[in-house]
Amino acid sequence: MSGPRRTRTISWADPAEHAWRASSGPGLEVLRQVLAGALMPSPMASLLGYDLVEVAEGRAVFAVTPAEFHYNPAGHVHGGFAATVLDSAMGCAVYSLVNLGETYTTLELKVNYLKPITVASGPLRGIGTVLHRGRRTAMAEGRLEDAAGKLLAHATTTCLIWQP
């Protein structure tokens, strides 16, 4: 049995233009441009509907509210949704520490899911914090929390820092 079909329309900025503009300054400056609306968010953020809401050296926070289009066949939000928001938060926390001419990429991602996420979970925050920034790698942790601060998922990452 199926109910009425739902639709969703999205738009996004040209990723090549985004990458070019993002290479014009240190990571923290670029993220502040995204936060101020001077630089468009990534296509992935547009697709899944999450927004950068806070950035500082070694820290990035995204806000998102789960929707039906995030659901898996089991009737709750797909685990990849939480992993993506956490990867973005941790990655941007690392990116906030890269210098002009450097970039980063995720080498490893580990996520622990603590509670199922549904539409009823309400607004969520993905919080990324850098634990260590070395010359070539950085480690960060992420927390996906509900509005009351309850931990729904926890993650860690290792990122490679390099010069393209």
Side-chain angles (χ1 to χ4, degrees), residues 18 31 34-35 40-42 44-46 48-55 59-65 81-95 104 123-129 143-146:
H18 187 278
L31 291 170
V34 172
L35 192 59
M40 295 299 295
S42 71
M44 180 60 84
S46 297
L48 292 182
Y50 58 92
D51 298 300
L52 181 66
V53 295
E54 181 184 326
V55 65
R59 179 178 162 89
V61 181
F62 284 86
V64 64
T65 300
F81 167 82
T84 301
V85 173
L86 287 166
D87 184 47
S88 294
M90 294 182 298
C92 286
V94 168
Y95 188 48
Y104 78 97
L124 307 178
R125 290 170 38 99
I127 304 162
T129 307
R143 297 175 58 88
L144 188 63
E145 300 177 349
D146 67 13

Side-chain angles (χ1 to χ4, degrees), residues 70-154:
H70 296 127
Y71 273 42
N72 63 22
H76 53 270
V77 172
H78 191 282
F81 167 82
T84 301
V85 173
L86 287 166
D87 184 47
S88 294
M90 294 182 298
C92 286
V94 168
Y95 188 48
S96 74
L97 298 179
V98 304
N99 301 309
L100 178 61
E102 294 179 321
T103 191
Y104 78 97
T105 191
T106 300
L107 286 174
E108 175 268 337
L109 172 69
K110 168 136 181 17
V111 181
N112 291 320
Y113 303 96
L114 302 164
K115 297 182 80 59
I117 300 169
T118 68
V119 172
S121 299
L124 307 178
R125 290 170 38 99
I127 304 162
T129 307
V130 174
L131 301 172
H132 171 76
R133 200 279 196 199
R135 189 174 57 82
R136 299 271 296 151
T137 61
M139 295 183 302
E141 70 176 347
R143 297 175 58 88
L144 188 63
E145 300 177 349
D146 67 13
K150 184 169 284 210
L151 185 63
L152 305 175
H154 178 266

